[in-house]
Amino acid sequence: MSKINLFIKEQVKTSRNELYLAIGLGGLSGLLVIFQAWLMATMISDVIFKEAQLAELQNRLWYLIIIFIIRAILNWTSNLSAFKAVIKIKLDLRDKIHRHIQKIGPVHATKKHSGSDVNTMIDGVEAIEKYYTSYIPGIAFVSILPLAYIIVTFPFDWISGLVLLVTAPIIVFFMIMIGQGAEKLNQEQWRQLSRLSSHFIDTIQGLPTLKIFNAAKREAAIIAKLADEYRERTMSVLKVAFLSSLLLEFFSSIGVAIVAVLIGFRLLDGNMEFVDGLFVLLLAPEYYLSIRNMGGNYHAKMEGIGAAEQIIEILDRGDFTKNTDTNLLKSDLNLTNNKSISIAFNNLSFSYEKDRQALTNFNLKIPANKRTVLIGESGSGKSTIVNLILGFIQTNEGEILVNNKDISKISLETWRKNIAWLPQQAHLFQGTIADNIRLGKENATEHEVKEAARLAFCDEFIEKLPETYNTIIGERGAGLSGGQIQRIALARTFLKDAPLLILDEASANLDRESEKLIEKSIDMLSENRTVIIIAHKLHTIEKADQIVLIKNGTVLNTGTHKQLINNNEHYQELIKKYHETFTI
Amino acid sequence: MTDNFKNKEASSLSIFIRLSKLFKPHSKLIILGLFLSVITILANVTLMSLSGWFLASMAVAGIANVTMDYYSPAAGIRVLAIARAFGRYFERLVNHSATLHILSDLRHWFYKKIEPLAPAILQKYHSGDVFSRIKSDIDTLENVYVRIIVPIITTFITSALFVFFMYLYDVKLAIIEAFALITAGFAIPLTLLTLSRKTGKELILLSSQLRQYTMDSIQGLGELLIYGASNKQAEKINKLSHKLSKAQYKMAFYNGLAQASLTIITGLTIVLVITISTPNIRSGEMPAVNIAMLVLFSLASFEAVMNMPEAFQLLPETIAAGRRIFEMTDSKPSIVEPNNPSPTIANFDIAFENVSFSYTKGNKNVLKNLSFTLKEGERLALVGKSGVGKSTVINLLTRFYDYNKGEITIGSNSIKAFQSDDLRQYISVASQQNQLFNNTIRENLLLAKPDANDNELDKVCKITQIYDFIKTLPDGYDTWSGELGYKFSGGQKKRLTIARALLKPSKILILDEPGEGLDRETEKEMLKAIFEYKKSTSILIITHSGIKGIEHLKII
């Protein structure tokens, strides 16, 4: 809890002044209510008891309208000032989260479902807004205004002052009740409602399946039944939940009523000036309102804290005990003469979590300008090797040498300039197809882009699209097949033309055509390059210069297909699985 | 231009009327809710004005040293205070209840309307987010009553009463009250809406753009890092985030402006009420004590229009949601059910004879002159590249769509002669979508045969080689799948949905890409077991690679 509060406070640092201004302006407007009430009371009193003509009121009428205008402007500017403060906070937070995710890389960043991180960055950051625009100023107002109203009331009428003072704790008590009890109930109801909604959508989405099994008509009754059950449950909860707000409403209404009646009797007895009584009556509702405004703020607070929790969770991700210090002076990788890369793993160990060793005493030499293929069961450590080379994860146990230089001594940015990478499921970004290919080389000419597309065999279908290379890519490449997406991503690697190529072969079924084309394309790409492939296709394995057989985080064997097929049982077994492909 | 405008307005109104008709079954509850809303507002305004009048009258009586019946007003004040609190309580209860009734009805209504239209209707809306749009549209419509209808009607009733009340004292006062309420309730919110319309649209656009770019940042993080584009992406996001904040600030500016105008209108009204009442009092037309009542009344009466800005803000999106939903439910079904009962069948031979089909009129045919036969109890593999319409064959055979040309027969009867429910009774399908519902594994399987016992479930799960896995789950068959439950992998889903299809006691079994997401070993063994288990069932397998152990092959 205190960590969250600290976090929330820390964000304010940059925009403290705007927030103070918001509180000052809003508070001033609240105090002006007192003058506003006093002006109204004296005018009414003068009309009734002093036979005042309109002309005698003229000045005060002007003052009154001016006070209303000033209050309008004060409230407006107070809001805007709070908003300005929060804009700074939101921009900072979003940038902070984004850069943090980039810093820790995809392996650490995507522990959770990526969708929920996107929600935190968009909605979570938005949700924190109300904490600063409503809750913080609200807390300030509630600690100034009711007190000010009550202090003003006492000299005029101490009995009413007492009524206000005594009822305040009751109001606050019920507000806390509502805040805590009802809020929880409310959230539970919301959870149930969203469950109900997702069942509803789930059912509609599944209509084809339901119809196949002749269950579609049955579901109609279930939808109605669930909604009715939800209604009954909700109503029985609400009956109780609304009770505390009933009492809250009741005590503040009855507070005003008691003030009015008690003043009335003293006026009748001649123990009080009318103007004083009316003034107090006008202030009483403002007094209760200012206390009750806290209720809404509670919600803002909870929402803000919830959002802060999610944000902190992201910012806490990543393991910084390991050697990722970017401030360390790092040398550049010198590849000027010989643009080829060889990699060696020496006694390297890595674990994602304690007790879950991914690589143990791993030793491997990846020769320059050769094709190395990694195979093994899923979970054997293939991806970990690639992630280490890509710099997505680091380890302190053992070392990785690139051209005999410790990889941790090379700056990541420089190192990555030498890598082209095609992941198992490539991502296409917002923008045109050309933009997406250009990711490989930012300033590539149109000709270069087209050439890369040609080499990746995606020129043909791209040119058939109405907008060809300028086709805007839909969400997750909507409209393109998995194979087409991979080929576009492959064009990037041609464009980048890096000395090291890393491929994670798609294990999912691409269409046959794409599979063949990608295969051909990779063969071209592999010339004069160091290539590392996590293989899923037999064809790829057979073509390798070096096959690395991995099991439980260690190298079981290395060699060519011919060497391994005859004298390695484990390899034979693995290959059998690839071999028994169904033929037409 | 103007004609166009009129048409659009008319249809907006008609959409609103159609919506209201859906709420008709609950009209009693709705009227009660409205009544309570009105009472609550009246109680509060009366409480304030009565208090003002009471104080002034007591003071006058005190000075004149005369007695006064203070019992009734003092009691009135207390009663009104209580009425307000309880009125609000019951109003909230009744209106919530009405909203929940509407929620239930609306969903039931929509489902019943959409059921005969699916899946054709849903496929028409190509975009993947058609479901989230339906969800948000239905959510929007559920709030029509409490957020739009209640505020508008209560505003009208209470405003009319307030203006009438002022009219009892002076026409000029009535005019001022009317002017104030119309300005605060209609003019200001409408102006705000017009001013902020552009910014509002910008806001929606920017936040969806920001969401998409952020999605890119996270899902494509690895590629951004390797291709050195991460900084550029961070700048892009910052730029968008900045733009969004600017639009939000503009929105806050407009909202603040509306709020400020409201405050000024309130002040102006009070000043005018005093300005008009004072001469009336001096000339003796009005008792002096009334001024206290009238000022407090006009101050409190603004409560009548408090919820109007929100109602106005929601109106356009509500109409749009209603239009989309009605557009869907008004669509024509893609197939026509025959008037006669389904024919009885002698055998289950399936024949496609020169079948042609396209999903949308005038578009390229997905299937062109497709012919093949599958005799009862035999097996056929339909093989072809992706995108040649293999899955369309399922859609036609199960009558989700009707073919445009040629004929499909079962046992020599055109499938168009069958009631679609009867036809589907004969057919079981494991489709490519691998749809599992947010429910337990058991319920998902039982969909195919509601009265199946555990032995039967075990059997089909063993055939698809998912049995051992289910047994390792702590809840076994009672494990939940979906959003809130266990996230099954593609291969596991495939096996579960095939198990479900096997469970259905049908004469025809269709498997769409049964090997997807499975390794070849598993696929082979599974198919062998299926052929063994469903010996006398006709089996149609749709695939882009070959299959062993199958008699017939049709390449399309």
Side-chain angles (χ1 to χ4, degrees), chain A residues 380-396:
Chain A
S380 58
K382 293 170 300 193
S383 308
T384 308
I385 298 165
V386 166
N387 284 332
L388 282 163
I389 297 173
L390 292 170
F392 294 157
I393 45 179
Q394 278 90 15
T395 182
N396 282 338

Side-chain angles (χ1 to χ4, degrees), chain B residues 212-413:
Chain B
Q212 283 164 345
Y213 277 101
T214 309
M215 199 108 86
D216 270 358
S217 275
I218 292 175
Q219 288 174 346
L221 180 56
E223 277 131 307
L224 287 172
L225 290 171
I226 298 302
Y227 289 101
S230 55
N231 248 327
K232 218 175 123 195
Q233 180 76 4
E235 275 157 28
K236 248 189 220 164
I237 294 227
N238 271 346
K239 229 184 189 168
L240 265 177
S241 183
H242 200 81
K243 267 193 190 164
L244 179 70
S245 296
K246 253 187 163 169
Q248 284 171 329
Y249 185 79
K250 223 172 170 183
M251 208 64 177
F253 182 87
Y254 289 135
N255 280 326
L257 182 63
Q259 207 56 46
S261 318
L262 197 64
T263 308
I264 292 169
I265 286 289
T266 312
L268 204 61
T269 308
I270 290 163
V271 167
L272 287 174
V273 167
I274 295 174
T275 309
I276 288 164
S277 311
T278 309
N280 284 356
I281 290 166
R282 288 290 82 86
S283 67
E285 278 169 51
M286 192 195 273
V289 290
N290 282 359
I291 193 170
M293 174 188 71
L294 291 174
V295 168
L296 266 81
F297 170 84
S298 57
L299 195 59
S301 67
F302 283 94
E303 194 187 336
V305 295
M306 282 236 296
N307 294 320
M308 285 304 277
E310 199 197 2
F312 272 120
Q313 226 156 31
L314 292 175
L315 205 55
E317 63 178 278
T318 306
I319 298 280
R323 187 171 284 142
R324 282 193 293 261
I325 291 289
F326 285 130
E327 201 181 277
M328 270 193 173
T329 57
D330 289 346
S331 315
K332 281 205 187 96
S334 55
I335 59 158
V336 187
E337 299 281 351
N339 291 323
N340 302 323
S342 309
T344 46
I345 300 189
N347 63 62
F348 287 94
D349 295 350
I350 298 170
F352 272 60
E353 295 158 17
N354 290 318
V355 173
S356 296
F357 174 73
S358 76
Y359 281 100
T360 39
K361 260 186 201 148
N363 264 24
K364 218 176 80 186
N365 278 341
V366 183
L367 292 180
K368 210 173 170 193
N369 294 328
L370 177 69
S371 298
F372 69 86
T373 53
L374 172 60
K375 287 249 169 358
E376 183 174 348
E378 292 191 337
R379 297 172 209 140
L380 172 76
L382 276 181
V383 182
K385 279 191 201 169
S386 58
V388 297
K390 287 170 297 173
S391 299
T392 306
V393 171
I394 306 179
N395 283 339
L396 295 183
L397 195 55
T398 52
R399 280 206 84 198
F400 285 155
Y401 295 88
D402 269 344
Y403 40 97
N404 311 116
K405 241 184 69 195
E407 191 67 281
I408 303 175
T409 59
I410 289 189
S412 308
N413 302 293

Side-chain angles (χ1 to χ4, degrees), chain A residues 96-335:
Chain A
K96 209 184 266 177
I97 301 170
H98 194 222
R99 301 229 182 233
H100 182 78
I101 286 179
Q102 290 190 337
K103 190 173 157 202
I104 60 178
V107 174
H108 292 301
T110 51
K111 270 185 189 152
K112 264 185 161 181
H113 190 359
S114 62
S116 84
D117 286 345
V118 174
N119 284 343
T120 304
M121 253 187 88
I122 311 287
D123 305 329
V125 171
E126 289 299 327
I128 221 167
E129 169 183 310
K130 281 205 182 114
Y131 190 95
Y132 299 106
T133 54
S134 301
Y135 178 67
I136 292 183
I139 281 284
F141 296 151
V142 84
S143 44
I144 308 167
L145 296 179
L147 198 69
Y149 296 150
I150 232 169
I151 288 174
V152 175
T153 304
F154 263 101
F156 286 94
D157 178 15
W158 65 270
I159 295 178
S160 296
L162 219 55
V163 172
L164 297 185
L165 196 62
V166 169
T167 43
I170 302 175
I171 304 274
V172 171
F173 172 75
F174 283 114
M175 258 167 37
I176 293 171
M177 287 260 297
I178 291 176
Q180 289 178 345
E183 181 73 15
K184 245 182 228 156
L185 286 175
N186 215 348
Q187 274 172 8
E188 175 57 26
Q189 291 306 306
W190 265 112
R191 232 159 42 96
Q192 285 188 24
L193 180 63
S194 70
R195 237 185 240 188
L196 192 70
S197 295
S198 72
H199 170 263
F200 176 61
I201 292 303
D202 189 38
T203 311
I204 290 176
Q205 215 159 354
L207 266 172
T209 307
L210 292 171
K211 284 177 119 176
I212 291 284
F213 295 112
N214 293 81
K217 299 216 160 64
R218 260 185 275 155
E219 280 295 321
I222 295 177
I223 283 178
K225 198 187 98 196
L226 285 179
D228 284 337
E229 276 172 12
Y230 168 75
R231 190 192 69 240
E232 275 156 29
R233 260 196 324 270
T234 306
M235 286 317 292
S236 64
V237 169
L238 288 183
K239 266 177 210 158
V240 183
F242 287 165
L243 267 184
S244 27
S245 48
L246 165 70
L247 292 171
L248 175 64
E249 193 98 31
F250 177 76
F251 279 106
S252 46
S253 295
I254 216 75
V256 177
I258 291 172
V259 166
V261 171
L262 287 180
I263 291 174
F265 286 126
R266 275 172 295 149
L267 289 173
L268 185 64
D269 295 342
N271 292 338
M272 194 182 196
E273 287 286 325
F274 172 72
V275 61
D276 296 354
L278 186 61
F279 172 62
V280 172
L281 180 71
L282 284 169
L283 268 190
E286 299 286 348
Y287 169 78
Y288 288 117
L289 191 69
S290 67
I291 298 178
R292 290 180 53 186
N293 276 342
M294 260 323 279
N297 290 334
Y298 183 79
H299 196 78
K301 179 188 173 189
M302 295 319 288
E303 224 176 286
I305 286 179
E309 247 169 43
Q310 292 171 351
I311 292 169
I312 292 172
E313 191 273 320
I314 292 185
L315 294 179
D316 278 350
R317 277 186 221 165
D319 188 353
F320 292 106
T321 56
K322 286 178 186 154
N323 187 11
T324 55
D325 194 351
T326 46
N327 293 330
L328 221 79
L329 201 64
K330 288 187 176 174
S331 63
D332 277 357
L333 180 71
N334 247 326
L335 290 168

Side-chain angles (χ1 to χ4, degrees), chain B residues 123-238:
Chain B
Q123 230 142 47
K124 218 174 86 185
Y125 295 84
H126 268 298
S127 103
D129 63 350
V130 58
F131 296 106
S132 62
R133 223 189 56 198
I134 290 177
K135 182 172 180 286
S136 76
D137 281 350
I138 294 275
D139 282 348
T140 307
L141 295 185
E142 279 159 10
N143 286 320
V144 166
Y145 168 68
V146 80
R147 294 259 180 88
I148 295 179
I149 295 182
V150 172
I152 289 180
I153 295 183
T154 27
T155 296
F156 268 105
I157 296 175
T158 50
S159 299
L161 286 173
F162 291 160
V163 172
F164 178 71
F165 176 78
M166 280 299 208
Y167 173 76
L168 293 179
Y169 294 92
D170 192 322
V171 182
K172 278 180 274 178
L173 288 176
I175 292 171
I176 287 165
E177 180 72 9
F179 172 76
L181 292 179
I182 288 170
T183 312
F186 294 88
I188 293 175
L190 275 178
T191 315
L192 172 66
L193 207 62
T194 330
L195 277 177
S196 62
R197 184 166 290 152
K198 220 180 97 194
T199 315
K201 276 187 187 152
E202 207 182 318
L203 264 178
I204 294 170
L205 187 74
L206 282 171
S207 76
S208 94
Q209 268 178 4
L210 183 63
R211 193 175 293 275
Q212 283 164 345
Y213 277 101
T214 309
M215 199 108 86
D216 270 358
S217 275
I218 292 175
Q219 288 174 346
L221 180 56
E223 277 131 307
L224 287 172
L225 290 171
I226 298 302
Y227 289 101
S230 55
N231 248 327
K232 218 175 123 195
Q233 180 76 4
E235 275 157 28
K236 248 189 220 164
I237 294 227
N238 271 346

Side-chain angles (χ1 to χ4, degrees), chain A residues 339-341 367-372 420 455 457 490 493-494 496-503 518-533 543 545:
Chain A
K339 258 205 160 199
S340 59
I341 289 180
N369 298 337
K370 291 272 188 298
R371 211 196 282 207
T372 299
L455 291 168
F457 295 109
L490 197 59
T493 60
F494 275 105
K496 183 155 183 181
D497 193 24
L500 175 63
L501 172 67
I502 298 177
L503 296 166
I518 290 173
E519 205 177 286
K520 240 164 106 182
S521 196
I522 289 174
D523 284 348
M524 289 193 285
L525 197 54
S526 300
E527 278 166 32
N528 294 322
R529 245 180 264 273
T530 309
V531 181
I532 302 170
I533 306 178
K543 276 192 186 168
D545 298 314

